Amino acid sequence: MVDIATRVHNHKWKIDPIVRSLIDTDFYKLLMCQSVFRNKPDTTVRFSLINRSTDIHLAEVIDEGELREQLDHVRTLSLSRGESTWLRGNLFYGKRQMFRPDFMEWFENLRLPPYHLEKRNGQYELTFEGKWPEVMLWEIPALAVLMELRSRAVLETMGRFEMEVLYARAMTKLWEKIERLRKIEDLRIADFGTRRRHSFLWQDWCVQAMMEGLGEKFIGTSNCLIAMRREVEAIGTNAHELPMVYSALAKNDLALKQAPYDVLADWQDEHEGNLRVILPDTYGTTGFLEDAPDWLASWTGIRIDSGDPVHGAETAIDWWNRRGEDPTQKLIIFSDGLDVEKIEELSARFRGRAKISFGWGTLMTNDFRGLVPDHALAPFSLVCKAVSANGRPTVKLSDNPLKAMGPEQEIERYKHVFKLGAQKEQAVIV
């Protein structure tokens, strides 16, 4: 077990970089990248950093030189032989060759493309533009770099013993959560905390703690590098990025209405079983399910990632019932802003009514709330999203209007096309 306090106290980035591998990323990014490589390889996409927590002025906390050094280091990374062998030969979701030879050959030769960085009004404007399969792989490492540099900026003011106490308290806090989770009957929970983790070392420690504390109730991690090193399942399916870009490419409102289903038709061509999980909330869950083609009802499950999770799950169960499917044989994955209390509540409400699973993110891998003065290490809401495709803006509506993004005029157009009615705001925790 790594002595985290010593390692952090003594770290120098050149020997302990924040991102140390191209597979220090979420599994779903690689699955989506293969799909994009197959279906939309020549689409030009622009990604941009978006700090929803505007009270945190990252450009005043993080040194620009350090940020550039870390981002430049990411651009030097390529797959190692061992990483390539793991991706080519490991069993993922019961499938031996998840990644096709042509995709793997391309990935093995990949170096991430250039970035553009500016300071504006106390924030960093960080963008990536290029062919979709290449630039999409910047999202997770860019977020990991910024989150950890913020952590390091706070920690560098601490002495060795202060840091020892801090990590001891953080470890105790997580272990107390694990002890509560142990008591939940039929729990299935995975680590979804890569993108807004406190640090790589801390995420790795958290995964090991979950493995020991929860045993078979812990089903894996979204982080490919940690999954490989700790010999646990790599977990993940798809994200809002796919329908956002497909929709931006739509030539008219009719094609726009169809775009989210085109995404899943392409996905169905490649995947089966537990990888056939619907993410319905990009433009509103209720409307998406009402207009969904019949073949989608036979998919394995649904992921609830915004809005009121109880309402989202009840909507899914009602939809399956109306489509002649048995909800008790379906999977519902909760993944939005979870912590122990919410996991306990949702488990109690839906146990026996569907198969339930949880993707536990930021409040697993970055819950330092209350451990240092002025909330200086509290997690915050930082995302990196596709903002345009072939020069046309992307839009996300979500089941929570506070997570909506895109030009106002396009947002209104999308609301009209997808018949999005009144929405209730939910606090964006992370």
Side-chain angles (χ1 to χ4, degrees):
M1 182 73 68
V2 171
D3 179 350
I4 294 178
T6 297
R7 182 82 165 266
V8 172
H9 188 260
N10 295 332
H11 79 73
K12 298 293 182 183
W13 82 265
K14 290 182 180 178
I15 62 171
D16 201 9
I18 291 173
V19 177
R20 55 207 71 202
S21 166
L22 279 185
I23 68 165
D24 182 12
T25 193
D26 283 334
F27 187 58
Y28 79 86
K29 289 298 291 191
L30 299 188
L31 292 178
M32 292 200 309
C33 188
Q34 178 170 247
S35 181
V36 171
F37 177 81
R38 176 191 177 204
N39 296 298
K40 306 279 186 187
D42 296 322
T43 302
T44 297
V45 175
R46 186 171 188 253
F47 280 75
S48 180
L49 184 74
I50 301 169
N51 183 5
R52 293 173 178 153
S53 302
T54 54
D55 58 315
I56 296 178
H57 301 129
L58 289 176
E60 298 172 5
V61 176
I62 296 171
D63 178 76
E64 183 178 348
E66 284 190 85
L67 176 55
R68 288 187 181 275
E69 284 182 321
Q70 294 288 347
L71 295 173
D72 289 342
H73 173 73
V74 174
R75 294 197 64 216
T76 71
L77 297 173
S78 61
L79 286 189
S80 70
R81 181 174 297 179
E83 291 165 350
S84 178
T85 299
W86 181 74
L87 288 170
R88 284 180 178 268
N90 193 55
L91 195 69
F92 299 105
Y93 284 83
K95 186 175 180 180
R96 178 64 64 184
Q97 290 183 318
M98 181 68 73
F99 298 102
R100 302 178 344 176
D102 58 342
F103 172 75
M104 284 303 306
E105 183 177 349
W106 170 85
F107 193 23
E108 287 161 351
N109 289 287
L110 177 68
R111 302 294 187 280
L112 292 190
Y115 61 88
H116 181 74
L117 179 67
E118 290 184 25
K119 284 183 178 180
R120 194 182 305 275
N121 300 324
Q123 300 290 354
Y124 281 114
E125 290 189 357
L126 178 60
T127 57
F128 314 92
E129 187 164 6
K131 297 302 181 186
W132 191 7
E134 297 177 1
V135 294
M136 69 185 296
L137 293 178
W138 259 118
E139 177 189 354
I140 306 300
L143 291 171
V145 164
L146 282 151
M147 295 300 294
E148 186 161 346
L149 282 178
R150 186 264 196 153
S151 297
R152 290 184 178 189
V154 175
L155 294 170
E156 71 180 4
T157 66
M158 296 184 178
R160 167 65 188 278
F161 286 96
E162 188 179 7
M163 202 173 290
E164 290 271 11
V165 172
L166 170 68
Y167 280 105
R169 287 173 174 167
M171 290 173 179
T172 300
K173 190 174 189 179
L174 178 63
W175 192 254
E176 288 174 347
K177 293 183 182 185
I178 289 172
E179 289 178 325
R180 288 176 62 178
L181 292 173
R182 277 178 180 166
K183 300 174 184 178
I184 298 177
E185 184 181 344
D186 299 325
L187 177 68
R188 290 171 53 83
I189 190 167
D191 159 38
F192 276 19
T194 300
R195 63 181 52 235
R196 286 188 287 270
R197 66 194 183 195
H198 169 77
S199 70
F200 173 81
L201 294 176
W202 182 247
Q203 183 183 14
D204 188 40
W205 187 91
C206 291
V207 167
Q208 293 176 75
M210 294 282 280
M211 291 170 64
E212 180 169 321
L214 294 179
E216 292 183 355
K217 292 182 177 182
F218 180 66
I219 60 174
T221 174
S222 65
N223 186 287
C224 296
L225 182 60
I226 294 174
M228 182 183 75
R229 289 184 176 180
R230 301 301 169 195
E231 297 185 334
V232 296
E233 292 291 331
I235 302 291
T237 54
N238 55 69
H240 303 103
E241 176 184 336
L242 292 178
M244 287 171 66
V245 173
Y246 272 57
S247 297
L249 298 174
K251 291 183 167 55
N252 52 50
D253 286 357
L254 186 62
L256 173 59
K257 181 77 170 176
Q258 181 61 30
Y261 307 116
D262 292 340
V263 168
L264 299 182
D266 285 345
W267 192 262
Q268 185 169 250
D269 285 344
E270 293 188 64
H271 301 299
E272 56 189 21
N274 282 353
L275 283 174
R276 289 188 179 177
V277 173
I278 304 165
L279 180 62
D281 68 319
T282 310
Y283 305 119
T285 294
T286 301
F288 176 92
L289 295 178
E290 287 297 326
D291 295 332
D294 288 339
W295 53 266
L296 263 181
S298 68
W299 274 35
T300 302
I302 278 179
R303 181 158 72 92
I304 310 295
D305 195 54
S306 66
D308 177 1
V310 170
H311 180 264
E314 294 287 2
T315 299
I317 289 171
D318 178 64
W319 178 68
W320 282 318
N321 279 323
R322 287 188 287 109
R323 295 296 181 103
E325 299 285 336
D326 181 0
T328 65
Q329 301 305 306
K330 297 294 186 178
L331 175 64
I332 299 176
I333 302 172
F334 296 100
S335 61
D336 181 32
L338 295 175
D339 207 3
V340 174
E341 294 79 6
K342 183 58 69 174
I343 294 169
E344 290 171 334
E345 175 193 334
L346 293 170
S347 293
R349 182 174 182 117
F350 293 103
R351 184 182 300 118
R353 300 178 61 198
K355 298 176 181 178
I356 305 300
S357 183
F358 298 92
W360 195 15
T362 308
L363 296 181
M364 171 191 166
T365 60
N366 198 1
D367 190 3
F368 284 70
R369 295 173 298 176
L371 300 184
V372 297
D374 302 322
H375 307 290
L377 278 179
F380 63 103
S381 188
L382 187 70
V383 296
C384 184
K385 294 290 188 182
V387 294
S388 71
N390 287 350
R392 305 174 67 174
T394 62
V395 171
K396 179 185 175 187
L397 299 180
S398 178
D399 284 334
N400 180 359
L402 294 182
K403 287 189 172 184
M405 58 163 285
E408 192 59 40
Q409 185 174 352
E410 284 296 287
I411 288 177
E412 292 306 314
R413 173 186 168 225
Y414 275 61
K415 285 181 176 179
H416 174 74
V417 168
F418 291 103
K419 299 176 182 176
L420 189 68
Q423 292 181 294
K424 182 179 179 181
E425 292 185 353
Q426 301 279 330
V428 179
I429 300 173
V430 284

